Amino acid sequence: MDPVEPVASVPTPRQPMQPVGVTAELAEARAKLRQAAPSGHWDGVLAEVSRLQYDQHMSPLAALQAVYAKLASGWLPPVPR
């Protein structure tokens, strides 16, 4: 059995990874949606995003943007019971 090589230490300072491309767009859209969601309604907002993805065959990014637009127009998701 070969000996295990030690893992080299990570040089410091290390900068956090910045998402790029679609990952960055999804992260930004989700953050905007989170800020726009009224207190206590986040689960309902996420449920609407999932519903649009499933029922309307929307991409994750398109669904996030659609729900953001709904919130901006005054729509509120139901409060979970």
Side-chain angles (χ1 to χ4, degrees):
M1 186 170 197
D2 294 328
V4 176
E5 293 290 323
V7 176
S9 65
V10 177
T12 54
R14 185 174 179 185
Q15 294 184 355
M17 289 182 53
Q18 295 295 321
V20 295
V22 174
T23 302
E25 288 181 69
L26 283 169
E28 183 180 333
R30 185 176 169 92
K32 282 178 59 177
L33 188 60
R34 180 73 171 174
Q35 289 177 341
S39 180
H41 290 274
W42 182 240
D43 289 339
V45 167
L46 290 180
E48 182 65 6
V49 170
S50 294
R51 186 192 70 75
L52 290 175
Q53 286 180 266
Y54 181 76
D55 291 348
Q56 304 296 321
H57 307 287
M58 295 177 107
S59 71
L61 182 58
L64 288 168
Q65 292 169 336
V67 175
Y68 181 81
K70 287 176 74 167
L71 285 171
S73 70
W75 173 82
L76 285 178
V79 177
R81 295 178 189 184

